[in-house]
Amino acid sequence: MANIKSQIKRNKQNEKARKRNASARSELRTAMKKVRLAVEKKDKENALILLSKAERLADKLASRGIQHKNTASRQKASLRRLVNTL
């Protein structure tokens, strides 16, 4: 445990950011899963709506620095390819 006041504060800030980032990543994974499930059910209209939401989330995480921009791009392309198979 840190003894220095500034490091104690920094640890609190880091923990808060870690939880916020984990929540955001989880939200993106859930959105991607919903797209995959819609594709499995052959529901193109719903898949397209869910795809746009997932793409927005991926872009948002990349712009905030939670996720690398190339990772976001790869995930979006993968989902887009999947939806285009319908």
Side-chain angles (χ1 to χ4, degrees), residues 12-26:
K12 286 181 190 176
Q13 291 173 329
N14 287 338
E15 183 62 19
K16 202 185 291 188
R18 186 187 69 79
K19 288 179 180 175
R20 186 171 50 242
N21 293 344
S23 174
R25 279 192 298 267
S26 175

Side-chain angles (χ1 to χ4, degrees), residues 21-86:
N21 293 344
S23 174
R25 279 192 298 267
S26 175
E27 188 179 358
L28 175 62
R29 283 193 296 266
T30 302
M32 292 172 61
K33 184 178 181 180
K34 286 180 181 178
V35 172
R36 284 191 225 104
L37 290 173
V39 170
E40 281 180 20
K41 293 178 182 176
K42 308 280 191 226
D43 186 5
K44 186 165 185 159
E45 297 82 29
N46 194 25
L48 286 171
I49 293 168
L50 293 169
L51 173 67
S52 68
K53 181 180 180 190
E55 286 178 334
R56 277 196 312 270
L57 279 171
D59 285 335
K60 191 182 288 188
L61 294 186
S63 70
R64 289 181 185 168
I66 296 171
Q67 187 177 41
H68 195 275
K69 63 180 180 142
N70 291 351
T71 303
S73 180
R74 186 181 66 244
Q75 289 172 337
K76 287 169 21 182
S78 173
L79 288 176
R80 175 69 63 181
R81 233 184 345 264
L82 194 62
V83 171
N84 285 341
T85 61
L86 294 178

